[in-house]
Amino acid sequence: SMHFSSVTLLITHYNRSHSLARLLMTVQALDLSFGDIVVSDDGSRSEHLDALRALQLTHPFRLITTPQNRGLGHNLNQAQANVQTPYA
């Protein structure tokens, strides 16, 4: 197993909850762990947000949301603003 306690895994998301589920299952299968996992969502449809909240029950991560799609640049900025581990 590899533990990156000082690293935040930052994931941008938009209407691709199945892809996110595969990613999180792969991280788990590889026995990787991080100091924090932040998923920044850019106004996904409600069924994807519901899927993300269900995923949080088995794969702990912080979900950051915005009520409407504002583009990848905004989503990256929103995500980075929520990182709590120090920048290296």
Side-chain angles (χ1 to χ4, degrees), residues 3-16:
H3 185 60
F4 302 98
S5 58
S6 62
V7 174
T8 295
L9 178 60
L10 193 54
I11 305 164
T12 56
H13 176 266
Y14 179 65
N15 288 337
R16 303 251 340 207

Side-chain angles (χ1 to χ4, degrees), residues 35-85:
D36 198 8
I37 299 176
V38 174
V39 174
S40 182
D41 180 80
D42 195 18
S44 291
R45 296 192 306 269
S46 61
E47 64 266 27
H48 289 282
L49 288 174
D50 290 345
L52 264 56
R53 291 188 180 100
L55 271 173
Q56 283 183 296
L57 301 175
T58 53
H59 299 84
F61 58 85
R62 288 193 294 130
L63 176 60
I64 313 300
T65 60
T66 187
Q68 61 188 23
N69 187 303
R70 297 177 64 186
L72 180 59
H74 176 269
N75 199 7
L76 286 167
N77 291 337
Q78 167 181 274
Q80 288 176 347
N82 282 277
V83 171
Q84 295 172 346
T85 51

